[in-house]
Amino acid sequence: SDLQKQEERGELLQPLIFVLLVLCSVLLYFKVSLMDPGFVKPEEEVKEGEDKGQGVVIPQIPGDIKLRRCGYCLVKQPMRARHCQLCQHCVRRYDHHCPWLENCVGERNHPLFIAYLSVQLVVLLWGGHVAWSGLYFEQSREWLQHNIFLLVCFLLIFIFTIVVLLLLVSHLYLISCNTTTWEFMSHHRISYLRHSELENPFDQGIILNLWRFFC
């Protein structure tokens, strides 16, 4: 049959890989959106976790800066944590609240968020290539009527590709500097950054920053 001939020629491999990438993208989306981004536990549990050596390396900061208690959920905030009013929790190493995910991006799900953006970018580029290859341009009303759906799909894919690409590049840049979106945008408002002698006390070099984040 035609299907067996296509399989023998390897023509079904690319569609299969594309479907698997789409499935992987969907699974990553639900994983990142449903998982705990690093919610700060009650004060007793935080101290117990720190005593077991589960915390990250704390940079040198001025001694007069103390950990403050959150005015919303009343827990003592670890450094780099922030309260999200949408999630009603303080989040460790808070980056931002993503409206697409309806969840915060924080210490626990930030690496998976980068993986999701990467897979999504590959899917969009592949889909854009397929849509573009199906277009043949003619200056006629009949051509527009037959290709309007494919043309709209390509334009939407192009817009989403630009958005995802900018998001991925900006996050990779911030990760290479060991800073978060919140710290980058609100540097002047954060006490441990505003009073620090270093512009970014968490920066340990690009290689080590990337290693600590992904590994």
PDB file of all heavy atoms in Angstrom, residues 159-182:
ATOM      1  N   ILE A 159       3.988  35.257  14.377  1.00  0.00           N
ATOM      2  CA  ILE A 159       3.889  36.138  15.547  1.00  0.00           C
ATOM      3  C   ILE A 159       4.256  35.385  16.820  1.00  0.00           C
ATOM      4  O   ILE A 159       5.045  35.870  17.645  1.00  0.00           O
ATOM      5  CB  ILE A 159       2.464  36.721  15.652  1.00  0.00           C
ATOM      6  CG1 ILE A 159       2.191  37.662  14.482  1.00  0.00           C
ATOM      7  CG2 ILE A 159       2.276  37.464  16.979  1.00  0.00           C
ATOM      8  CD1 ILE A 159       0.757  38.137  14.409  1.00  0.00           C
ATOM      9  N   PHE A 160       3.699  34.184  16.995  1.00  0.00           N
ATOM     10  CA  PHE A 160       3.995  33.398  18.198  1.00  0.00           C
ATOM     11  C   PHE A 160       5.468  32.991  18.240  1.00  0.00           C
ATOM     12  O   PHE A 160       6.073  32.913  19.321  1.00  0.00           O
ATOM     13  CB  PHE A 160       3.103  32.159  18.264  1.00  0.00           C
ATOM     14  CG  PHE A 160       1.706  32.451  18.714  1.00  0.00           C
ATOM     15  CD1 PHE A 160       0.620  32.134  17.910  1.00  0.00           C
ATOM     16  CD2 PHE A 160       1.459  33.040  19.940  1.00  0.00           C
ATOM     17  CE1 PHE A 160      -0.672  32.402  18.320  1.00  0.00           C
ATOM     18  CE2 PHE A 160       0.168  33.315  20.359  1.00  0.00           C
ATOM     19  CZ  PHE A 160      -0.908  32.994  19.537  1.00  0.00           C
ATOM     20  N   THR A 161       6.070  32.735  17.081  1.00  0.00           N
ATOM     21  CA  THR A 161       7.487  32.379  17.039  1.00  0.00           C
ATOM     22  C   THR A 161       8.349  33.523  17.531  1.00  0.00           C
ATOM     23  O   THR A 161       9.297  33.316  18.314  1.00  0.00           O
ATOM     24  CB  THR A 161       7.901  31.994  15.603  1.00  0.00           C
ATOM     25  OG1 THR A 161       7.123  30.874  15.170  1.00  0.00           O
ATOM     26  CG2 THR A 161       9.373  31.619  15.548  1.00  0.00           C
ATOM     27  N   ILE A 162       8.035  34.741  17.106  1.00  0.00           N
ATOM     28  CA  ILE A 162       8.791  35.912  17.557  1.00  0.00           C
ATOM     29  C   ILE A 162       8.661  36.087  19.067  1.00  0.00           C
ATOM     30  O   ILE A 162       9.650  36.341  19.776  1.00  0.00           O
ATOM     31  CB  ILE A 162       8.312  37.184  16.825  1.00  0.00           C
ATOM     32  CG1 ILE A 162       8.589  37.080  15.321  1.00  0.00           C
ATOM     33  CG2 ILE A 162       8.994  38.427  17.406  1.00  0.00           C
ATOM     34  CD1 ILE A 162      10.048  36.943  14.975  1.00  0.00           C
ATOM     35  N   VAL A 163       7.433  35.935  19.589  1.00  0.00           N
ATOM     36  CA  VAL A 163       7.205  36.092  21.026  1.00  0.00           C
ATOM     37  C   VAL A 163       7.990  35.052  21.827  1.00  0.00           C
ATOM     38  O   VAL A 163       8.692  35.381  22.804  1.00  0.00           O
ATOM     39  CB  VAL A 163       5.697  35.991  21.349  1.00  0.00           C
ATOM     40  CG1 VAL A 163       5.464  35.957  22.865  1.00  0.00           C
ATOM     41  CG2 VAL A 163       4.945  37.160  20.726  1.00  0.00           C
ATOM     42  N   VAL A 164       7.890  33.780  21.423  1.00  0.00           N
ATOM     43  CA  VAL A 164       8.578  32.707  22.149  1.00  0.00           C
ATOM     44  C   VAL A 164      10.096  32.860  22.041  1.00  0.00           C
ATOM     45  O   VAL A 164      10.827  32.650  23.013  1.00  0.00           O
ATOM     46  CB  VAL A 164       8.133  31.328  21.611  1.00  0.00           C
ATOM     47  CG1 VAL A 164       8.965  30.213  22.222  1.00  0.00           C
ATOM     48  CG2 VAL A 164       6.663  31.089  21.915  1.00  0.00           C
ATOM     49  N   LEU A 165      10.585  33.259  20.859  1.00  0.00           N
ATOM     50  CA  LEU A 165      12.022  33.448  20.676  1.00  0.00           C
ATOM     51  C   LEU A 165      12.548  34.557  21.581  1.00  0.00           C
ATOM     52  O   LEU A 165      13.597  34.397  22.229  1.00  0.00           O
ATOM     53  CB  LEU A 165      12.311  33.786  19.212  1.00  0.00           C
ATOM     54  CG  LEU A 165      13.785  34.049  18.857  1.00  0.00           C
ATOM     55  CD1 LEU A 165      14.630  32.817  19.130  1.00  0.00           C
ATOM     56  CD2 LEU A 165      13.913  34.481  17.402  1.00  0.00           C
ATOM     57  N   LEU A 166      11.837  35.679  21.658  1.00  0.00           N
ATOM     58  CA  LEU A 166      12.258  36.780  22.529  1.00  0.00           C
ATOM     59  C   LEU A 166      12.232  36.360  23.996  1.00  0.00           C
ATOM     60  O   LEU A 166      13.137  36.708  24.765  1.00  0.00           O
ATOM     61  CB  LEU A 166      11.363  38.003  22.305  1.00  0.00           C
ATOM     62  CG  LEU A 166      11.496  38.709  20.953  1.00  0.00           C
ATOM     63  CD1 LEU A 166      10.478  39.837  20.832  1.00  0.00           C
ATOM     64  CD2 LEU A 166      12.911  39.248  20.760  1.00  0.00           C
ATOM     65  N   LEU A 167      11.186  35.612  24.387  1.00  0.00           N
ATOM     66  CA  LEU A 167      11.113  35.121  25.763  1.00  0.00           C
ATOM     67  C   LEU A 167      12.292  34.212  26.090  1.00  0.00           C
ATOM     68  O   LEU A 167      12.929  34.346  27.142  1.00  0.00           O
ATOM     69  CB  LEU A 167       9.797  34.368  25.977  1.00  0.00           C
ATOM     70  CG  LEU A 167       8.563  35.186  26.354  1.00  0.00           C
ATOM     71  CD1 LEU A 167       7.334  34.301  26.364  1.00  0.00           C
ATOM     72  CD2 LEU A 167       8.744  35.852  27.706  1.00  0.00           C
ATOM     73  N   LEU A 168      12.585  33.276  25.193  1.00  0.00           N
ATOM     74  CA  LEU A 168      13.655  32.315  25.441  1.00  0.00           C
ATOM     75  C   LEU A 168      15.010  33.007  25.512  1.00  0.00           C
ATOM     76  O   LEU A 168      15.811  32.738  26.428  1.00  0.00           O
ATOM     77  CB  LEU A 168      13.658  31.245  24.344  1.00  0.00           C
ATOM     78  CG  LEU A 168      14.711  30.139  24.473  1.00  0.00           C
ATOM     79  CD1 LEU A 168      14.525  29.374  25.774  1.00  0.00           C
ATOM     80  CD2 LEU A 168      14.630  29.181  23.289  1.00  0.00           C
ATOM     81  N   VAL A 169      15.278  33.912  24.575  1.00  0.00           N
ATOM     82  CA  VAL A 169      16.563  34.617  24.564  1.00  0.00           C
ATOM     83  C   VAL A 169      16.730  35.469  25.822  1.00  0.00           C
ATOM     84  O   VAL A 169      17.795  35.476  26.449  1.00  0.00           O
ATOM     85  CB  VAL A 169      16.684  35.484  23.288  1.00  0.00           C
ATOM     86  CG1 VAL A 169      17.903  36.401  23.372  1.00  0.00           C
ATOM     87  CG2 VAL A 169      16.793  34.612  22.051  1.00  0.00           C
ATOM     88  N   SER A 170      15.668  36.188  26.210  1.00  0.00           N
ATOM     89  CA  SER A 170      15.762  37.039  27.405  1.00  0.00           C
ATOM     90  C   SER A 170      15.976  36.210  28.664  1.00  0.00           C
ATOM     91  O   SER A 170      16.776  36.587  29.535  1.00  0.00           O
ATOM     92  CB  SER A 170      14.493  37.888  27.534  1.00  0.00           C
ATOM     93  OG  SER A 170      13.347  37.079  27.710  1.00  0.00           O
ATOM     94  N   HIS A 171      15.294  35.067  28.775  1.00  0.00           N
ATOM     95  CA  HIS A 171      15.469  34.223  29.961  1.00  0.00           C
ATOM     96  C   HIS A 171      16.864  33.603  30.006  1.00  0.00           C
ATOM     97  O   HIS A 171      17.472  33.513  31.074  1.00  0.00           O
ATOM     98  CB  HIS A 171      14.399  33.135  29.993  1.00  0.00           C
ATOM     99  CG  HIS A 171      13.117  33.576  30.635  1.00  0.00           C
ATOM    100  ND1 HIS A 171      12.922  33.579  31.993  1.00  0.00           N
ATOM    101  CD2 HIS A 171      11.971  34.056  30.095  1.00  0.00           C
ATOM    102  CE1 HIS A 171      11.718  34.029  32.270  1.00  0.00           C
ATOM    103  NE2 HIS A 171      11.112  34.320  31.132  1.00  0.00           N
ATOM    104  N   LEU A 172      17.368  33.174  28.857  1.00  0.00           N
ATOM    105  CA  LEU A 172      18.717  32.609  28.838  1.00  0.00           C
ATOM    106  C   LEU A 172      19.752  33.660  29.219  1.00  0.00           C
ATOM    107  O   LEU A 172      20.746  33.353  29.894  1.00  0.00           O
ATOM    108  CB  LEU A 172      19.027  32.030  27.456  1.00  0.00           C
ATOM    109  CG  LEU A 172      18.272  30.746  27.087  1.00  0.00           C
ATOM    110  CD1 LEU A 172      18.586  30.336  25.655  1.00  0.00           C
ATOM    111  CD2 LEU A 172      18.637  29.616  28.049  1.00  0.00           C
ATOM    112  N   TYR A 173      19.531  34.886  28.793  1.00  0.00           N
ATOM    113  CA  TYR A 173      20.453  35.969  29.180  1.00  0.00           C
ATOM    114  C   TYR A 173      20.422  36.192  30.687  1.00  0.00           C
ATOM    115  O   TYR A 173      21.475  36.298  31.332  1.00  0.00           O
ATOM    116  CB  TYR A 173      20.084  37.256  28.446  1.00  0.00           C
ATOM    117  CG  TYR A 173      20.800  38.471  28.992  1.00  0.00           C
ATOM    118  CD1 TYR A 173      22.152  38.688  28.708  1.00  0.00           C
ATOM    119  CD2 TYR A 173      20.133  39.388  29.810  1.00  0.00           C
ATOM    120  CE1 TYR A 173      22.813  39.786  29.224  1.00  0.00           C
ATOM    121  CE2 TYR A 173      20.793  40.489  30.327  1.00  0.00           C
ATOM    122  CZ  TYR A 173      22.126  40.680  30.027  1.00  0.00           C
ATOM    123  OH  TYR A 173      22.784  41.769  30.550  1.00  0.00           O
ATOM    124  N   LEU A 174      19.218  36.260  31.271  1.00  0.00           N
ATOM    125  CA  LEU A 174      19.100  36.471  32.709  1.00  0.00           C
ATOM    126  C   LEU A 174      19.687  35.305  33.490  1.00  0.00           C
ATOM    127  O   LEU A 174      20.334  35.497  34.524  1.00  0.00           O
ATOM    128  CB  LEU A 174      17.630  36.674  33.087  1.00  0.00           C
ATOM    129  CG  LEU A 174      16.972  37.949  32.550  1.00  0.00           C
ATOM    130  CD1 LEU A 174      15.489  37.975  32.914  1.00  0.00           C
ATOM    131  CD2 LEU A 174      17.660  39.189  33.081  1.00  0.00           C
ATOM    132  N   ILE A 175      19.485  34.076  32.982  1.00  0.00           N
ATOM    133  CA  ILE A 175      20.050  32.897  33.649  1.00  0.00           C
ATOM    134  C   ILE A 175      21.571  32.939  33.618  1.00  0.00           C
ATOM    135  O   ILE A 175      22.240  32.605  34.601  1.00  0.00           O
ATOM    136  CB  ILE A 175      19.534  31.614  32.980  1.00  0.00           C
ATOM    137  CG1 ILE A 175      18.043  31.433  33.253  1.00  0.00           C
ATOM    138  CG2 ILE A 175      20.298  30.380  33.472  1.00  0.00           C
ATOM    139  CD1 ILE A 175      17.395  30.377  32.397  1.00  0.00           C
ATOM    140  N   SER A 176      22.146  33.371  32.496  1.00  0.00           N
ATOM    141  CA  SER A 176      23.608  33.457  32.380  1.00  0.00           C
ATOM    142  C   SER A 176      24.184  34.498  33.333  1.00  0.00           C
ATOM    143  O   SER A 176      25.361  34.432  33.685  1.00  0.00           O
ATOM    144  CB  SER A 176      24.004  33.795  30.939  1.00  0.00           C
ATOM    145  OG  SER A 176      23.617  35.117  30.598  1.00  0.00           O
ATOM    146  N   CYS A 177      23.361  35.458  33.756  1.00  0.00           N
ATOM    147  CA  CYS A 177      23.784  36.471  34.729  1.00  0.00           C
ATOM    148  C   CYS A 177      23.371  36.099  36.153  1.00  0.00           C
ATOM    149  O   CYS A 177      23.670  36.844  37.097  1.00  0.00           O
ATOM    150  CB  CYS A 177      23.181  37.833  34.377  1.00  0.00           C
ATOM    151  SG  CYS A 177      23.643  38.470  32.758  1.00  0.00           S
ATOM    152  N   ASN A 178      22.667  34.977  36.309  1.00  0.00           N
ATOM    153  CA  ASN A 178      22.134  34.532  37.602  1.00  0.00           C
ATOM    154  C   ASN A 178      21.267  35.616  38.239  1.00  0.00           C
ATOM    155  O   ASN A 178      21.457  35.997  39.396  1.00  0.00           O
ATOM    156  CB  ASN A 178      23.247  34.122  38.564  1.00  0.00           C
ATOM    157  CG  ASN A 178      22.699  33.286  39.718  1.00  0.00           C
ATOM    158  OD1 ASN A 178      21.506  33.004  39.787  1.00  0.00           O
ATOM    159  ND2 ASN A 178      23.578  32.891  40.620  1.00  0.00           N
ATOM    160  N   THR A 179      20.325  36.111  37.475  1.00  0.00           N
ATOM    161  CA  THR A 179      19.339  37.039  38.000  1.00  0.00           C
ATOM    162  C   THR A 179      17.966  36.605  37.507  1.00  0.00           C
ATOM    163  O   THR A 179      17.853  35.724  36.654  1.00  0.00           O
ATOM    164  CB  THR A 179      19.639  38.480  37.550  1.00  0.00           C
ATOM    165  OG1 THR A 179      18.777  39.391  38.245  1.00  0.00           O
ATOM    166  CG2 THR A 179      19.441  38.646  36.048  1.00  0.00           C
ATOM    167  N   THR A 180      16.924  37.174  38.065  1.00  0.00           N
ATOM    168  CA  THR A 180      15.561  36.821  37.679  1.00  0.00           C
ATOM    169  C   THR A 180      14.897  38.022  37.009  1.00  0.00           C
ATOM    170  O   THR A 180      15.388  39.146  37.094  1.00  0.00           O
ATOM    171  CB  THR A 180      14.732  36.394  38.902  1.00  0.00           C
ATOM    172  OG1 THR A 180      14.607  37.515  39.797  1.00  0.00           O
ATOM    173  CG2 THR A 180      15.400  35.239  39.634  1.00  0.00           C
ATOM    174  N   THR A 181      13.765  37.756  36.378  1.00  0.00           N
ATOM    175  CA  THR A 181      13.028  38.838  35.732  1.00  0.00           C
ATOM    176  C   THR A 181      12.615  39.891  36.750  1.00  0.00           C
ATOM    177  O   THR A 181      12.723  41.100  36.503  1.00  0.00           O
ATOM    178  CB  THR A 181      11.779  38.283  35.026  1.00  0.00           C
ATOM    179  OG1 THR A 181      12.174  37.301  34.075  1.00  0.00           O
ATOM    180  CG2 THR A 181      11.019  39.387  34.317  1.00  0.00           C
ATOM    181  N   TRP A 182      12.163  39.437  37.918  1.00  0.00           N
ATOM    182  CA  TRP A 182      11.756  40.370  38.967  1.00  0.00           C
ATOM    183  C   TRP A 182      12.935  41.198  39.455  1.00  0.00           C
ATOM    184  O   TRP A 182      12.826  42.431  39.621  1.00  0.00           O
ATOM    185  CB  TRP A 182      11.130  39.592  40.127  1.00  0.00           C
ATOM    186  CG  TRP A 182      10.826  40.437  41.325  1.00  0.00           C
ATOM    187  CD1 TRP A 182      10.039  41.542  41.366  1.00  0.00           C
ATOM    188  CD2 TRP A 182      11.329  40.256  42.649  1.00  0.00           C
ATOM    189  NE1 TRP A 182      10.001  42.063  42.641  1.00  0.00           N
ATOM    190  CE2 TRP A 182      10.786  41.294  43.443  1.00  0.00           C
ATOM    191  CE3 TRP A 182      12.160  39.314  43.243  1.00  0.00           C
ATOM    192  CZ2 TRP A 182      11.050  41.413  44.808  1.00  0.00           C
ATOM    193  CZ3 TRP A 182      12.425  39.433  44.595  1.00  0.00           C
ATOM    194  CH2 TRP A 182      11.876  40.470  45.361  1.00  0.00           C
TER     195      TRP A 182
END
